Amino acid sequence: MKKKIILAYSGGVDTSVAIKWLQEKYKVDVIAVTIDVGNEKDFKVVRQKALKVGAKKALVIDGKELFVKYFIFPALQANALYEGQYPLATALSRPLMAKLLVDTAAAEGATAIAHGCTGKGNDQVRLEVGINALAPDMKILAPAREWGMTREETIKYAQDNGIPIPVTKKSPYSIDENLWGKSIECGVLEDPWAEPPADAYTWTKSPDEAPSKPQYIEIGFEKGIPVSLDGKKMEGIALIQKMNETAGKHGIGRIDHIENRVVGIKSREIYEAPAAVVLIQAHQALEAMTMSKDQLRFKQKVSVECADLIYNGLWFSQLNRDLSAYILSSQRYVTGTVRVKLFKGQATVVGRKSPWSLYNLSLATYDKGDKFDQKAAEGFIHLWGLPVKTQAQIQLLGDKEGPLSIMGPDEEKKKK
Ligand code: ARG
């Protein structure tokens, strides 16, 4: 009996060629596994294609619910944005894929897992580190890294082997998408000076073609998780889909990012992530209302660590477990409603309320009902400024350059 290999199958040219190539090179049976993480794809067609190209078996696994529960929402609670910009849609999906591929390999008695990533990207790192963590003895094959074919050669190989190539004008971009966003690269986007052409975007309207009237939405959160839209309870998948659609229509969620890949390359990536952008913004607004200054500051640091770790493919590390525990704990009181205005490419938080709000009107107001003890400010300032005052008396006022020396010699010369 032939050995069995699991192939992470997308339905594209590369993974289709990989089916044939793996069979020929390794004399194995290929089981194509396609994971649905909310891509806009006809999975029946993908499955049929795998079988047609020669896969012994083709499985489609619905990973949407797991994706939302264990990956998207925890990342939202963390406000995870890689380098402050990228909501990590692609990056978050890879550890889930690794898990489902490993499970399928076990169920099917397969001895190896193959994927279609090249040697230049992040996704090979995320998938393989994930698989290694979950199944240390599993063999991993990366045909696209091994076969050394150019794009043209791959297409020629496909034609020679009767692998259908889409006849419709192929998109000049390399695309990866799921519920949390769409990643777009290659083609003209490789020129960092070139503005992305209109056809790079499919989830979002151009802000200048967006509706000329703003739309207001109310997002309800419970412990940092969005649970309702405009007062209507919604499940995660439906809520995210709805947010993508609504915010996308207003041209919200376009991101143009020069990012630092794990493998040392700077790359230019375009993202469309309407739901992620709005939800993270709204979530942050609710945190600002319900968490102390110190909690917020500390959480920001954790957030950067979480985003890096997700991007860098270290999902299954114990550090992730530790940070996740902190993030989860931090969300105890992040419950309430945020009102967001969607208008011409911009989402703006215009209102927030929470039963746990730390905002206290009688402390904040400048009007009647002020409970703030203004007299207490005097003593507070005296002690708060004491170290600065002490230091100034000893080191600053005696300095012959005078107080301006604190700005440095150049600045000072300009002043003179
Ligand atoms: N740069 C993004 C990341 O590393 C997306 C990678 C996949 N993008 C693509 N267009 N194929 O997570």
Side-chain angles (χ1 to χ4, degrees), residues 86 90-91 122-123 126 174-176 183-185 259 269 271 311:
Y86 162 41
T90 298
N122 298 317
D123 290 330
R126 298 167 183 148
S174 158
I175 290 162
D176 182 72
S183 309
I184 311 133
E185 59 186 357
E259 72 188 35
E269 190 101 31
Y271 298 104
Y311 189 88

Side-chain angles (χ1 to χ4, degrees), residues 295-330:
Q295 283 179 300
L296 289 165
R297 286 178 62 91
F298 187 75
K299 185 162 181 281
Q300 259 178 25
K301 298 181 203 179
V302 179
S303 171
V304 171
E305 294 301 324
C306 289
D308 279 357
L309 165 165
I310 294 166
Y311 189 88
N312 294 336
L314 305 177
W315 183 268
F316 293 106
S317 64
Q318 291 297 333
L319 176 61
N320 190 23
R321 191 178 202 164
D322 297 341
L323 297 182
S324 300
Y326 169 76
I327 295 291
L328 192 64
S329 167
S330 75

